[in-house]
Amino acid sequence: MMATISSPKGNKALNQIENTKNNNKSERKKLVHGAIAELPEDYREVIMLRDIEELSTSEVAETLNISEGAVRVRLHRARTALRTLLNAYFT
């Protein structure tokens, strides 16, 4: 069980920390989605279906009418490209 801070100052500090965490998370999310938007369409589709919508490899293959091997290759290349785009922000 977590202890709670009952002083007004403590609550304000905790709220500021929580707001900072939420803002950072929101900012990271915007950066990632912006970088995904910059990817070529083939990469963007596979990243969105596999990593954002959490479809299985076989479901992505069926949706895009490509082989599972092609999904794996595109996903690897898409993640590599995404990592390159985001590297400047997270290093």
Side-chain angles (χ1 to χ4, degrees):
M1 183 172 194
M2 292 184 60
T4 58
I5 299 174
S6 58
S7 73
K9 273 189 170 180
N11 287 336
K12 186 175 182 180
L14 286 176
N15 287 338
Q16 287 176 333
I17 291 169
E18 198 59 39
N19 287 339
T20 299
K21 285 181 185 178
N22 289 337
N23 288 339
N24 288 340
K25 185 176 181 180
S26 177
E27 186 177 321
R28 283 192 310 266
K29 189 174 182 178
K30 286 178 187 177
L31 287 171
V32 170
H33 281 274
I36 289 172
E38 291 182 38
L39 293 173
E41 185 177 356
D42 289 349
Y43 293 174
R44 189 172 53 250
E45 287 176 334
V46 76
I47 282 274
M48 293 300 294
L49 292 172
R50 187 71 175 92
D51 291 344
I52 306 298
E53 295 186 25
E54 299 181 345
L55 297 181
S56 69
T57 300
S58 61
E59 290 170 323
V60 174
E62 186 176 322
T63 300
L64 298 177
N65 199 28
I66 59 176
S67 70
E68 289 184 27
V71 170
R72 287 189 291 273
V73 169
R74 284 185 193 180
L75 187 58
H76 173 74
R77 290 177 181 169
R79 287 175 176 163
T80 300
L82 187 59
R83 190 174 301 115
T84 300
L85 290 170
L86 294 171
N87 215 17
Y89 296 106
F90 295 106
T91 56

